[in-house]
Amino acid sequence: MALAITTKEEIWNELRDGLTKIYNDFQRPVSSKEYIDLYNHVYNFYWIDARLIENGADLYERLKKFIRDCVSEQFVTCKDLEASQLLENYATFWKRKFSSKVANGIFEYLNRQWIRRELDEGNQDVYEIYNLAIVIWKTIFFDTLHQNITAAILKLIEQDRNGEQVQISLVGDLISSYSEIGMEINELYKADLTIFQNQFEQHFLEDTRRYYTTESTEFMQTNSFTEYLKKIELRFQEERDRCTNYFHESTQDHLLKVLDDVLIKPHMELFLSEFESSFNHKNGEILARIFSLFEHMHMEELSMFRRMLDQDTEKKLREAIEKFAPPDMNDPKQYVKYIHDVHHHVSTLVADPFKSSAFFVHAKESIDKAFVSFINRNQVIEESKSSLRAPELLARYCDLLLRKSAKNPEEMELEDLLNQVLDIFAYIEDKDIFINYYSKLLAKRLINELSVSDEAESNMIEKLRQICGYTDKLQRMFTDAGLSKNLTENYRQYIAGRTTEQHVDFSIMVLTSGVWPARQNFICQIPKSLSLCMDSFTTFYMKQYNGRKLTWLLHMCHGEVTGTGLYIKNARKYTFMASTAQITVLMLFNEATEYTLAQICENVELKKEQIMPYLRPIVEVGLCKVVGSYSDLDDNVPDGTKFVLNTEFQNKKMRVDLTKVRIHNEAKKDVEEVERSVNDDRRHVIQAAIVRIMKTNKTLKHNQLMTEVLQQLSTRFQPQVPMIKKCIDLLIEKEYVKRVENDKETYEYIS
Amino acid sequence: MNESSPSKSPPKSENKLFTLKKWNAVAMWAWDVECDTCAICRVHLMEACLRCQSDSKAEDCVVVWGECNHSFHNCCMSLWVKQNNRCPLCQQDWTVQRIGQ
C-alpha cells in the first residue's frame, strides 16, 4: 500500500472512491484485495494520530453523510413515481442494501472500537454500520413513502385476487423491508413486527374484510350454496398460500379470522341447514366440503355435525340389532356371523352412500366408534354372565377355522372368513385377552399337529401383528414348531446310526419356556422304554445346544400302544392312542390283569384325583372294568376299587382314542388361567410403560403420567386406573421412581 | 415299577398284552441358570434384553455364563465389561465360561 497517504482527507478520499464503486453496483463481486485495502484505510484513519475518539467520530460522520447522500439520490428518482413503477424501484433499491452489508464488513474495525464504546456508554444515536444504513433508509425512504407503498401493495393484491396478471412476487421483497426495518433498528435485533403490523398488516386485514364482504354478498345472490362452498374453499386456499409465500407466518391466524368472520359466520344458519339436508339426502360431496372447511377453521360447529352423524349411526345400529336374531353366545361361529351381519347392514346404510366422496372416511369413523362400544360394552353380551366374551369367542372361532377337520373351508373362503375375524378384532379393546386365548389354542394346534396348514397359521399371525403388533410370542411358538420338526428328523438320523435298543417311534416338540402357555403339570412314573427315549434325546439335545435344560411336560405327551395276543376270540390288533399316564397304566396290565385304585396310584406315582381323569376313558371304552357299582367314577371312588382288564375287549374301530381326557372344570380353569395371566401381563406391561415414560421425562405430574400410560397402551387394552396406581406404588417400592419431596403429585425417575 | 417294554432281548410281542409303538413327547427348554433374571437389565433371561426387544432381534439374544456361574444376557454383559471387567453380582474378575446357543 502506498505509504504516501498521510492525512485523513487523503485516506477518506480513497475510502469514498472505493465505497462509491461498491454502492454503484451491488451485484459486482468485490475482490479480496480491494476489500482488504479498504479495511486498512479504516484502520489507518482511526490510528492516524493519538486522538482515537475524535478520529472514530469523524469517520462515522463522514460515512453517515456518504450513505445519506446515496439514499437521497435514490429517493429523488422514486418519490414522484406512480404506484406500479414506485414498487419496482423501491424493491430494487431495497435490494441494494446488500452494499451496506459489504460496507459493514469494511468498517468492522470501527464497529468493534469506537461504535462499541459509544454503545456501551449509552449513546442512542450511534448504530453499527449496517443498522445505520437501515435507519437512514427508514428516515429517508420509508417514513415518507410507506403509505404510498402500502397502498400500492394492497392494490397489487387486489388485482391478484381479481385474477389479473400481476407481478405478485414483488410483494415478498417489499414485505421483507417492513419486517427487517423493524428488526434492525431495535437494539436487541429481535424480530420486531410492530412496523410491519402497524404500517401494513392492519391495512391489509381491513382491505381483505372489505373485499370479501362485497364478494360474498354478491356471489351468494347469483350462485347456489354448492358453488359458494367451492368458491370459498378456493379463496381460503389462495389466501393461505399468499400468506405463507409473502407474509410473516403470524399473519395467517389474523387473516383466517377475518375470512371466517366474513365468509362463514354471517351464513352460519345456511351452513347448518345445508348440512342437515345434505345429510338426509346423502350428498357426500357437500358434507365432505363442509367438514374439511370447518375442520381447518377449528369451528365448534364441527362437533355438532359429528354428533348428528354418530346419532344416526347408533340409530341404524339399534335397528340392525333388532333385525338380526341374537346369537347363542356360546357359539363362536354364530357370534362372528351375527357381528358381521350387523356390521354389514350398518355399513350399507351409513357409509356406502358416501363411497365416492371424501365424507366416506367420516362415516366409517362413526361406524368404528359405534362398534367399539357395541362389541366391548354391549348389553346383550353383558347380560348373559356365564357366556363367553368377545375376545374369547373370536379366538375360538379362529381355532374352528384353523383346526384340521372335515369341514375346513377352501383356501379362499378361509382367507375371507379370517379377514372377517380381523375386522372384528380391530374393534376389540382388550386385545391382550384375545391374544392370550389365541395362544392357548394355537399351542394345542401346533403340539397336536392339528393346523389346517402352516401357511394359514403364519399368515394369520402376520395379520394379527399388523393390527396389534405384539405377536412375538405367537411367532416364536410357530418357529418352535418348525424347529421341532427338524429336531425330530435329525434325532432320528442320529439314532439310526447307532446300535440302540429303542423300539419306540419317537417324535419331539421342544417349546421355548416363557413363550408357550404351558408349564409342568405333574411328574409320574413312566415305562422304562420311555425314560430311555428321554435320556437318549436329552444327550442328543445337549450336544446341539449349549447352556440349556429340558423340562418334560408329561401331561402333554401322548403315544400309541398296540394291544395284541390278548384277544383269543378276536385276533384283531387294536391301536390305542393314549397320554403318558395312560401308557404307564396299560403297561401295568402286562404284569397283572387286576389292580386296586391304590395300587395303580402307587405304581404310577400320581394322586387319586390326578389319575382318575386318565382312568375314566379307559373304563368308558370298555378296556377295563370296574368291580362294583361305581359307574360314574368321580373323584370319591374308594381306594380299594378294583380295575380289571377286559380280555374280551371289542371295538368297531381299530384305533381307539383314549386321550379325550376331561379334566373337571377345565373350561372354568382355562378362563381363570387366562384371567390370571392377562392380569400378570398387564401389570408387567404397565410397569414397563411407566418406566419408559419416566425415563424420557425424568419428572412428571401424576395426571400427565396417567394420560401417557393410557394413551401408550390403548392398542393393547384399556388399563384400569387403580391398576396403574398400584403399579406406580410397586415401582416406588422397587426404587425405579420416587415421589418428589414436598410434592406428592410429582414423580421422579431414579436412574 | 415294572419293566413294561422290551429292553435287553428282542420283544416277544405275543407274550405281552400291550406294546408301546409311538411316543410324541413335549418338552420345554430354558437356560440352565441359577437366577432367571438378568441383574444388568432386570429382564427375565428367557426374554430378550430390552435393547434386543426394541431392535426386534429377540431370537438372537442369548445368555452368557461366567466362571463364577452367574449368568446374564450376552449383549448386556458385553456392554458391562467395557466399563468394568467384574461380575456385577460377585465382583470376581469376569471370564466367560460358556455362551448359550
Side-chain angles (χ1 to χ4, degrees):
Chain A
M1 183 178 119
L3 289 168
I5 299 172
T6 46
T7 66
K8 280 193 200 174
E9 222 43 59
E10 277 168 324
I11 300 176
W12 172 248
N13 283 342
E14 291 284 325
L15 262 173
R16 193 193 51 214
D17 291 348
L19 286 171
T20 311
K21 272 194 222 155
I22 290 167
Y23 273 84
N24 278 348
D25 186 356
F26 76 103
Q27 280 167 322
R28 181 182 66 93
V30 180
S31 77
S32 51
K33 161 111 180 35
E34 188 183 351
Y35 190 89
I36 290 169
D37 284 352
L38 291 171
Y39 188 96
N40 283 335
H41 287 316
V42 172
Y43 181 88
N44 291 337
F45 191 102
Y46 190 65
W47 284 100
I48 197 158
D49 52 32
R51 289 168 300 180
L52 301 181
I53 296 172
E54 274 174 41
N55 295 341
D58 188 3
L59 186 56
Y60 185 80
E61 285 307 321
R62 282 171 198 256
L63 180 63
K64 189 165 159 185
K65 184 170 178 304
F66 174 84
I67 298 175
R68 190 179 285 147
D69 289 347
C70 268
V71 175
S72 302
E73 212 176 287
Q74 292 168 354
F75 175 70
V76 176
T77 66
C78 278
K79 69 177 193 301
D80 297 324
L81 292 172
E82 46 93 39
S84 71
Q85 200 55 45
L86 170 65
L87 283 188
E88 249 174 71
N89 281 22
Y90 180 91
T92 319
F93 288 135
W94 172 248
K95 279 188 197 149
R96 291 201 182 174
K97 72 189 192 304
F98 181 72
S99 302
S100 299
K101 281 222 157 110
V102 179
N104 191 57
I106 290 168
F107 282 79
E108 184 58 22
Y109 194 75
L110 193 65
N111 275 343
R112 274 189 284 138
Q113 301 291 328
W114 185 81
I115 294 173
R116 170 72 48 78
R117 191 175 160 279
E118 292 297 307
L119 290 176
D120 286 349
E121 285 186 358
N123 189 342
Q124 302 260 340
D125 288 332
V126 171
Y127 301 93
E128 289 198 359
I129 302 305
Y130 180 67
N131 297 343
L132 173 70
I134 299 290
V135 171
I136 293 172
W137 170 275
K138 177 176 184 288
T139 342
I140 296 177
F141 248 92
F142 189 79
D143 288 354
T144 341
L145 286 180
H146 73 79
Q147 278 168 334
N148 298 359
I149 292 169
T150 303
I153 300 177
L154 292 179
K155 182 95 194 306
L156 204 61
I157 292 175
E158 187 175 326
Q159 287 171 328
D160 190 40
R161 279 174 181 156
N162 289 338
E164 295 168 30
Q165 288 290 331
V166 289
Q167 204 188 342
I168 190 75
S169 62
L170 265 183
V171 172
D173 299 332
L174 297 164
I175 294 300
S176 87
S177 83
Y178 280 74
S179 37
E180 199 173 332
I181 288 170
M183 186 162 77
E184 296 294 341
I185 60 171
N186 138 333
E187 273 178 78
L188 299 166
Y189 309 113
K190 277 194 183 150
D192 181 345
L193 294 171
T194 32
I195 289 186
F196 167 71
Q197 279 166 351
N198 294 338
Q199 311 303 354
F200 179 78
E201 196 188 83
Q202 254 183 26
H203 303 290
F204 168 69
L205 293 177
E206 278 163 25
D207 221 44
T208 307
R209 186 180 295 271
R210 208 174 316 123
Y211 184 87
Y212 284 120
T213 311
T214 319
E215 184 182 80
S216 153
T217 325
E218 282 171 5
F219 196 87
M220 277 295 220
Q221 281 166 355
T222 46
N223 289 283
S224 69
F225 179 75
T226 320
E227 288 307 313
Y228 182 71
L229 256 183
K230 284 185 191 163
K231 178 85 178 168
I232 63 174
E233 216 169 66
L234 195 68
R235 284 308 201 187
F236 268 100
Q237 195 50 48
E238 282 172 9
E239 292 299 328
R240 231 182 244 125
D241 289 348
R242 193 176 291 121
C243 224
T244 8
N245 292 340
Y246 305 122
F247 303 150
H248 192 265
E249 57 194 12
S250 65
T251 306
Q252 180 150 326
D253 288 347
H254 303 158
L255 178 62
L256 289 182
K257 201 187 159 296
V258 169
L259 294 181
D260 177 21
D261 279 353
V262 180
L263 296 176
I264 302 183
K265 287 238 170 81
H267 310 294
M268 192 52 91
E269 267 177 39
L270 184 61
F271 271 96
L272 299 184
S273 70
E274 284 290 335
F275 184 88
E276 202 167 341
S277 84
S278 308
F279 188 73
N280 293 335
H281 293 101
K282 306 288 175 214
N283 188 335
E285 201 204 341
I286 292 187
L287 294 175
R289 281 174 193 279
I290 296 181
F291 246 72
S292 78
L293 187 64
F294 278 48
E295 210 161 35
H296 274 120
M297 298 301 295
H298 308 292
M299 307 275 282
E300 288 166 18
E301 284 76 10
L302 188 63
S303 63
M304 204 166 84
F305 294 154
R306 286 227 165 88
R307 221 167 24 247
M308 207 157 127
L309 172 63
D310 288 347
Q311 277 165 359
D312 181 68
T313 310
E314 276 158 33
K315 191 169 148 246
K316 299 285 186 332
L317 177 60
R318 270 199 307 279
E319 287 165 9
I321 294 172
E322 277 163 28
K323 182 167 176 261
F324 295 95
D328 171 359
M329 287 299 287
N330 288 310
D331 183 342
K333 191 173 175 184
Q334 261 193 45
Y335 171 78
V336 171
K337 185 171 181 321
Y338 171 73
I339 298 285
H340 183 258
D341 287 347
V342 172
H343 191 266
H344 182 74
H345 183 83
V346 174
S347 297
T348 318
L349 291 177
V350 177
D352 287 0
F354 302 115
K355 216 153 204 166
S356 54
S357 75
F359 192 71
F360 185 62
V361 185
H362 300 293
K364 270 195 90 84
E365 249 170 42
S366 172
I367 295 178
D368 290 351
K369 205 157 81 187
F371 266 79
V372 166
S373 133
F374 168 53
I375 288 173
N376 294 290
R377 293 179 285 279
N378 180 275
Q379 280 195 338
V380 187
I381 297 163
E382 290 290 321
E383 273 167 11
S384 48
K385 277 200 181 111
S386 62
S387 61
L388 309 174
R389 306 280 310 274
E392 189 183 354
L393 281 163
L394 273 190
R396 285 193 186 281
Y397 185 57
C398 293
D399 188 52
L400 277 178
L401 293 174
L402 291 167
R403 181 186 286 262
K404 216 186 287 175
S405 83
K407 288 180 288 184
N408 280 133
E410 293 288 315
E411 209 174 301
M412 290 296 285
E413 198 196 340
L414 175 67
E415 174 113 21
D416 284 349
L417 290 172
L418 287 174
N419 283 338
Q420 279 183 16
V421 175
L422 291 165
D423 289 344
I424 302 175
F425 176 59
Y427 292 134
I428 298 275
E429 280 175 350
D430 295 329
K431 294 198 171 56
D432 56 340
I433 297 185
F434 169 88
I435 294 287
N436 224 295
Y437 279 112
Y438 191 91
S439 121
K440 264 179 128 38
L441 295 163
L442 173 66
K444 282 184 188 158
R445 290 199 296 277
L446 291 176
I447 290 173
N448 300 316
E449 294 183 38
L450 289 173
S451 289
V452 58
S453 80
D454 284 354
E455 200 190 347
E457 290 287 5
S458 82
N459 280 346
M460 186 62 180
I461 295 175
E462 173 57 23
K463 283 177 182 163
L464 290 172
R465 191 187 63 75
Q466 283 166 6
I467 296 181
C468 74
Y470 46 98
T471 48
D472 300 4
K473 288 189 175 177
L474 300 183
Q475 184 56 50
R476 290 187 73 184
M477 284 164 70
F478 185 72
T479 314
D480 274 357
L483 287 176
S484 295
K485 271 183 197 147
N486 290 337
L487 204 57
T488 302
E489 201 47 50
N490 293 344
Y491 174 69
R492 281 182 178 154
Q493 283 170 13
Y494 161 87
I495 264 321
R498 35 188 75 216
T499 50
T500 166
E501 286 151 355
Q502 259 189 49
H503 300 280
V504 178
D505 179 9
F506 176 81
S507 73
I508 179 88
M509 186 89 177
V510 180
L511 321 180
T512 307
S513 79
V515 170
W516 293 70
R519 58 201 144 86
Q520 196 167 43
N521 198 320
F522 58 75
I523 306 173
C524 70
Q525 194 51 261
I526 55 170
K528 182 140 187 219
S529 56
L530 291 190
S531 57
L532 281 176
C533 282
M534 271 183 171
D535 294 347
S536 146
F537 178 76
T538 308
T539 316
F540 164 78
Y541 190 78
M542 292 312 166
K543 276 186 199 153
Q544 301 260 308
Y545 294 100
N546 205 353
R548 296 187 176 193
K549 65 181 174 200
L550 284 177
T551 310
W552 295 82
L553 305 176
L554 291 180
H555 65 291
M556 297 170 102
C557 307
H558 57 93
E560 286 178 14
V561 173
T562 52
T564 45
L566 132 96
Y567 315 102
I568 303 158
K569 289 180 186 165
N570 180 352
R572 295 172 80 177
K573 178 170 158 183
Y574 291 96
T575 302
F576 299 99
M577 281 166 280
S579 50
T580 310
Q582 290 169 332
I583 295 176
T584 313
V585 172
L586 293 182
M587 292 305 159
L588 283 180
F589 284 114
N590 278 341
E591 307 305 319
T593 52
E594 190 180 310
Y595 290 92
T596 63
L597 181 54
Q599 284 169 325
I600 294 179
C601 288
E602 194 191 325
N603 277 298
V604 186
E605 293 180 11
L606 280 179
K607 289 193 194 119
K608 188 164 76 178
E609 61 273 18
Q610 287 175 312
I611 192 76
M612 280 315 290
Y614 294 100
L615 288 179
R616 266 182 226 118
I618 300 180
V619 173
E620 275 161 16
V621 300
L623 184 56
C624 198
K625 282 185 174 152
V626 183
V627 180
S629 55
Y630 277 97
S631 50
D632 55 349
L633 286 178
D634 57 18
D635 289 349
N636 300 320
V637 187
D639 292 346
T641 311
K642 276 189 183 157
F643 288 82
V644 183
L645 183 70
N646 174 16
T647 48
E648 292 173 14
F649 173 80
Q650 281 194 27
N651 200 305
K652 274 182 286 183
K653 288 181 188 161
M654 294 304 294
R655 292 170 67 81
V656 183
D657 190 359
L658 303 176
T659 58
K660 296 271 180 319
V661 171
R662 286 186 311 276
I663 310 254
H664 197 50
N665 278 337
E666 190 180 26
K668 203 177 145 200
K669 265 189 202 150
D670 265 7
V671 174
E672 280 167 11
E673 221 170 83
V674 168
E675 248 169 48
R676 197 175 336 107
S677 93
V678 162
N679 278 333
D680 287 351
D681 281 355
R682 284 186 176 184
R683 262 191 288 275
H684 189 78
V685 169
I686 294 175
Q687 289 184 28
I690 295 172
V691 171
R692 259 199 318 274
I693 295 165
M694 290 308 296
K695 198 169 179 178
T696 17
N697 291 288
K698 302 305 173 210
T699 58
L700 211 57
K701 290 256 179 222
H702 177 80
N703 287 342
Q704 289 171 303
L705 179 58
M706 283 288 176
T707 327
E708 275 278 318
V709 172
L710 287 168
Q711 193 225 325
Q712 279 203 6
L713 298 179
S714 61
T715 55
R716 291 182 91 132
F717 59 94
Q718 305 285 311
Q720 303 289 312
V721 172
M723 196 189 236
I724 306 180
K725 282 186 180 156
K726 212 173 159 189
C727 288
I728 297 178
D729 288 341
L730 275 169
L731 288 171
I732 292 175
E733 215 169 277
K734 287 201 264 177
E735 297 190 340
Y736 277 88
V737 290
K738 64 177 181 195
R739 288 204 168 80
V740 170
E741 270 177 61
N742 307 323
D743 185 0
K744 288 207 159 142
E745 285 294 291
T746 311
Y747 303 107
E748 191 182 332
Y749 180 70
I750 306 174
S751 48
Chain B
M1 163 93 208
N2 294 308
E3 181 62 26
S4 53
S5 168
S7 59
K8 294 225 164 57
S9 56
K12 293 178 185 170
S13 54
E14 63 274 17
N15 295 334
K16 298 284 181 190
L17 301 179
F18 296 105
T19 314
L20 180 59
K21 288 292 181 194
K22 193 171 174 182
W23 195 41
N24 303 320
V26 183
M28 189 151 68
W29 75 268
W31 299 115
D32 189 9
V33 290
E34 277 172 16
C35 167
D36 53 16
T37 308
C38 173
I40 300 173
C41 70
R42 304 198 238 189
V43 171
H44 203 283
L45 283 172
M46 280 311 289
E47 282 173 36
C49 69
L50 291 177
R51 193 179 300 268
C52 290
Q53 273 183 34
S54 56
D55 298 349
S56 22
K57 292 193 300 190
E59 312 247 342
D60 304 327
C61 193
V62 295
V63 171
V64 65
W65 286 260
E67 283 300 340
C68 54
N69 226 13
H70 288 126
S71 40
F72 311 91
H73 287 118
N74 197 15
C75 16
C76 295
M77 197 59 205
S78 38
L79 284 180
W80 177 271
V81 291
K82 282 183 192 158
Q83 310 257 330
N84 177 359
N85 195 26
R86 285 167 192 279
C87 169
L89 288 176
C90 64
Q91 299 301 319
Q92 286 184 42
D93 283 347
W94 178 258
T95 321
V96 174
Q97 181 200 87
R98 56 177 172 161
I99 294 173
Q101 182 209 341

